[in-house]
Amino acid sequence: MPGTPHEPETGTGAPAGGPAPRESRSGKATLRDVAEQSGVSAMTASRVLRDDPRVHPATRDRVRAAAAALGYRPNELARRLRLGRGTGLVGLVVTNLANPFYSRLALGVDSVLAPDGLKTVIGNTGQDLHAERDLVADLVGRRVDGIIAVPAGDDQRHLAAAAAEGVPVVLASRPPEGFAADCVLVDDFGGARDATARLIARGHRRIGFLGSPPTVYTGTERLRGYRSALAAAGLPADERYVRQGQTQPHQAERAASALLRLPDPPTALFCSNNRNTIGAFRALRASRSAAALAGFDDFELADALGLPLTLVAYDSDELGREAGRLLRARVRAHDAATGPPASARRVVLATELVEHGD
């Protein structure tokens, strides 16, 4: 019987030293090309390339040599689908690829999923809900094994629909709204409260706030922490000192400059993310203001800015790794299809204050 142990496969293949490797009409080698080149059936060639130990060693060597000569690469997607598995792809949906935070998040996700043979596909929404809906629909249509998303807002019906269709969904940085899903968060409220309290302890009473759009969960939680610290110190929450909606450094620079031009300007600024902190730094430098600066998210070169800087730090790589772990567990459970799904999990990462400069 062809392909059984110690019985060489016979057929119409080229003898040793035979003709040069042939190419398919499409220019891309197929399994049939490998079979013809090595003189075996397509089934035997497939068994060799799946490392079936029952194939005769000589046949195995001949098929592998033909595959190497032809540059054959198996269609992993088709194989997984034939076996009833997913595509081996995981979608990572983020809001702003220009923010270095998301590159660290992606590296953390990939470090956990890659060893399981899962490849991460990143999509950027630009903080646009319609773009996010289209992206999630496209990922579901492409039959990804799961989705990790940083939602643009609290309308998450498209993510709920994906989960209802059986696609494992994990949220990062923001919790699910209207449906149950695993999520990994940062202690946004506590970190912002601690940083603002540090400014108050240093004698500041007029503290400005620069934050992302009100629809962004992290921004609203950090604003809440800022206000909580003011209230605990008996200080009024003066809305003249609050600016929200900045997503890019140049927007934050304009907002900070406007605060610094007030008749009673703030003596300190707290920024809800690294993009706002960078913009605020530029405004302080341009105006030669002596206002203190604090922000959420540590970032590269923060220690080289040349001014005292208090930052709320956490491990953004670990945020990605934890999101990857949660999704990996869901994907494995989905593939195994054993028993009812586990309850949704929520993981919250701690923060710490880091001081840079004098």
Side-chain angles (χ1 to χ4, degrees):
M1 181 177 180
T4 55
H6 309 303
E7 181 179 340
E9 177 77 37
T10 59
T12 58
R22 63 182 295 277
E23 293 184 0
S24 66
R25 291 187 179 91
S26 67
K28 182 178 180 181
T30 66
L31 180 64
R32 187 171 297 280
D33 296 331
V34 174
E36 291 182 7
Q37 181 69 26
S38 54
V40 300
S41 68
M43 181 178 293
T44 298
S46 176
R47 288 164 58 190
V48 169
L49 297 173
R50 285 187 285 110
D51 294 323
D52 190 327
R54 296 173 296 174
V55 181
H56 191 281
T59 302
R60 184 169 59 246
D61 292 344
R62 195 162 72 249
V63 170
R64 287 176 175 169
L70 290 168
Y72 171 75
R73 297 185 63 183
N75 188 333
E76 179 64 19
L77 173 58
R79 186 184 74 82
R80 290 179 65 93
L81 292 177
R82 282 197 303 272
L83 294 174
R85 300 174 183 171
T87 58
L89 301 176
V90 166
L92 175 58
V93 179
V94 302
T95 60
N96 184 5
L97 277 176
N99 190 335
F101 162 79
Y102 290 109
S103 63
R104 305 308 313 178
L105 174 74
L107 288 171
V109 168
D110 191 64
S111 70
V112 170
L113 297 183
D116 267 27
L118 297 171
K119 293 179 173 58
T120 306
V121 179
I122 303 176
N124 184 58
T125 67
Q127 203 71 49
D128 182 89
L129 180 58
H130 297 291
E132 182 178 301
R133 287 173 179 160
D134 291 344
L135 179 55
V136 169
D138 185 59
L139 291 170
V140 172
R142 293 175 186 273
R143 300 180 65 177
V144 293
D145 285 13
I147 295 173
I148 295 174
V150 181
D154 55 9
D155 184 352
Q156 300 172 7
R157 287 174 291 179
H158 48 296
L159 292 167
E165 290 186 36
V167 179
V169 173
V170 172
L171 302 191
S173 289
R174 294 153 203 183
E177 297 285 347
F179 74 112
D182 295 334
C183 65
V184 53
L185 310 174
V186 172
D187 184 9
D188 299 296
F189 172 84
R193 180 196 57 208
D194 293 346
T196 306
R198 178 71 59 87
L199 293 173
I200 294 171
R202 289 174 177 166
H204 297 284
R205 296 296 178 266
R206 299 193 305 274
I207 302 174
F209 178 90
L210 298 175
S212 45
T215 56
V216 177
Y217 170 84
T218 53
T220 57
E221 281 296 288
R222 293 168 190 178
L223 177 59
R224 194 167 68 88
Y226 157 84
R227 286 173 171 160
S228 175
L230 293 177
L235 299 175
D238 192 334
E239 293 304 309
R240 293 181 304 155
Y241 297 142
V242 174
R243 296 289 187 275
Q244 291 180 276
Q246 304 82 234
T247 61
Q248 299 296 336
H250 70 274
Q251 297 169 331
E253 183 177 1
R254 286 199 300 268
S257 296
L259 289 176
L260 295 172
R261 288 195 300 268
L262 290 174
D264 294 316
T267 62
L269 299 174
F270 172 70
C271 305
S272 75
N273 60 30
N274 56 13
R275 312 307 282 169
N276 276 276
T277 302
I278 292 170
F281 164 74
R282 291 172 179 169
L284 292 173
R285 183 179 60 182
S287 66
R288 299 182 183 277
S289 170
L293 184 60
F296 215 108
D297 303 329
D298 202 353
F299 56 93
E300 192 172 5
L301 296 181
D303 59 342
L305 295 182
L307 82 167
L309 179 60
T310 301
L311 292 178
V312 182
Y314 57 93
D315 190 342
S316 51
D317 288 57
E318 180 60 19
L319 184 69
R321 287 192 294 268
E322 190 58 48
R325 292 184 194 109
L326 291 171
L327 186 66
R328 181 179 62 188
R330 291 292 176 182
V331 170
R332 288 176 176 176
H334 183 268
D335 289 345
T338 56
S343 299
R345 294 184 58 200
R346 174 181 291 216
V347 178
V348 180
L349 300 186
T351 62
E352 63 175 340
L353 294 183
V354 176
E355 301 287 349
H356 293 300
D358 299 329

